[in-house]
Amino acid sequence: MTALGAVFRPQLPPERMRGVARVAEEAGLDELWLWEDCFSQSGIASAAAALAWTERLRIGVGLLPVPLRNVALTAMEVATLYRLFPGRVVLGVGHGVQEWMAQAGARVDSPLTLLREHLAALRALLRGERVTVDGRYVRLDDVALDWPPETAPPVLAGAIGPRSLRLSGEAADGTILVAGTPPDQVRQARGLIDEGRAAAGRTDHHELIVGLHTATGPDGPGRLKAELERWGDAGKPDVGVAGDAGTVAKAVQRLADAGGDTVVLQPTADEPDLEGFVRFVAEEVRPLVP
């Protein structure tokens, strides 16, 4: 079954999240996704709060930018969340937006090398292993978590280009694709991910999560057009959808048919009723998506 989610965008004030999370829970939404955008909101703090406010809802964070994070701290935070809320957390890491990393004094010469090293160390720590590593960026000396998760959780990676997609297939347990990725590129991404998995000899399931620009209501088409222009996606086919539940469900299905396991609907920046958007996704679109 294709999982369906919605995004709480970090451009909204953090205090709005409580109401949105509770509506998502009540409406039966599968997943609520958060971002750790610089310099808006902490992904871990936001996820912890949303998880505490709900009992069933899965909370995703995409992405934690690894240049800002020591891998030992990331592992401690992730392990804590998984032990407190087992089975309800989906976390992804990425190399971050380089302009933001430069602003924070954290930009590195080889973001992909850092991401590879971070993924390897993070996954090992979450498996309960004792890790010593002296990499280009990641250095640990006899580090192990006192409270690793009882079952090692999947660690996802954000990826766009061919090199990062292959790396995700090789070194991560799943991949997060940005909103604005059309079905044909989802298929291409799945192929590149599989190349990485084959090179690493991996046969486990690799979850693929895809975002979709979405607007509904009478002003939906206009808001979607403006949103795509802001993201530089104007004129690209199948990168967003505006319309009723049936129209949105068909767009979701196209991404699922292309290889997406989870489709996360991303409201426009000027969505006038985020709680209503979440209810729309859960109560009207969800029943139409197999």
Side-chain angles (χ1 to χ4, degrees), residues 44-62:
I44 295 294
S46 299
L51 288 160
W53 291 325
T54 57
E55 296 181 359
R56 175 206 55 81
L57 182 68
R58 294 183 80 202
I59 301 297
V61 180

Side-chain angles (χ1 to χ4, degrees), residues 178-203:
V178 297
T181 305
D184 61 337
Q185 290 185 17
V186 173
R187 291 187 182 91
Q188 294 172 15
R190 177 65 86 175
L192 291 165
I193 290 165
D194 287 344
E195 289 179 16
R197 295 177 70 229
R202 299 188 64 170
T203 59

Side-chain angles (χ1 to χ4, degrees), residues 6-273:
V7 175
F8 179 89
R9 296 174 60 144
Q11 290 77 21
L12 295 168
E15 56 268 25
R16 284 286 312 277
M17 189 186 305
R18 185 172 192 165
V20 173
R22 287 183 168 175
V23 166
E25 171 95 349
E26 293 167 4
L29 186 69
D30 298 333
E31 301 177 1
L32 182 66
W33 278 80
L34 315 171
W35 299 344
E36 187 167 80
D37 272 5
C38 295
F39 297 90
S40 297
Q41 299 171 22
S42 160
I44 295 294
S46 299
L51 288 160
W53 291 325
T54 57
E55 296 181 359
R56 175 206 55 81
L57 182 68
R58 294 183 80 202
I59 301 297
V61 180
L63 301 161
L64 301 174
V66 299
L68 289 178
R69 295 180 156 273
N70 181 282
V71 70
L73 177 61
T74 304
M76 290 162 58
E77 292 182 320
V78 172
T80 300
L81 284 183
Y82 272 95
R83 290 188 70 102
L84 290 172
F85 307 100
R88 294 183 54 211
V89 192
V90 188
L91 291 173
V93 298
H95 54 56
V97 176
Q98 297 311 296
E99 180 182 353
W100 290 342
M101 298 304 100
Q103 283 182 271
R107 186 167 184 168
V108 299
D109 291 334
S110 179
L112 283 183
T113 299
L114 170 56
L115 182 58
R116 179 186 296 277
E117 293 179 356
H118 194 104
L119 282 166
L122 178 59
R123 293 177 69 234
L125 290 168
L126 293 174
R127 290 193 297 266
E129 298 176 13
R130 186 168 295 278
V131 180
T132 295
V133 62
D134 185 18
R136 180 175 178 182
Y137 299 109
V138 174
R139 299 178 179 89
L140 299 174
D141 181 11
D142 196 33
V143 174
L145 298 176
D146 288 344
W147 297 102
E150 294 185 2
T151 301
V155 176
L156 283 62
I160 298 176
R163 293 174 61 203
S164 60
L165 287 164
R166 292 189 185 96
L167 171 60
S168 185
E170 176 185 345
D173 303 304
T175 301
I176 301 172
L177 303 179
V178 297
T181 305
D184 61 337
Q185 290 185 17
V186 173
R187 291 187 182 91
Q188 294 172 15
R190 177 65 86 175
L192 291 165
I193 290 165
D194 287 344
E195 289 179 16
R197 295 177 70 229
R202 299 188 64 170
T203 59
D204 51 335
H205 176 67
H206 190 100
E207 185 175 7
L208 186 58
I209 297 172
V210 189
L212 177 65
H213 295 291
T214 307
T216 189
D219 60 346
R223 287 191 293 107
L224 178 64
K225 180 181 178 182
E227 183 77 7
L228 296 181
E229 289 174 351
R230 280 192 291 269
W231 284 86
D233 290 330
K236 298 179 182 178
D238 292 327
V239 297
V241 60
D244 60 13
T247 301
V248 174
K250 289 178 182 177
V252 170
Q253 192 60 52
R254 287 193 290 272
L255 292 173
D257 291 342
D261 297 301
T262 298
V263 179
V264 182
L265 304 189
Q266 181 173 308
T268 62
D270 58 353
E271 168 58 54
D273 181 8

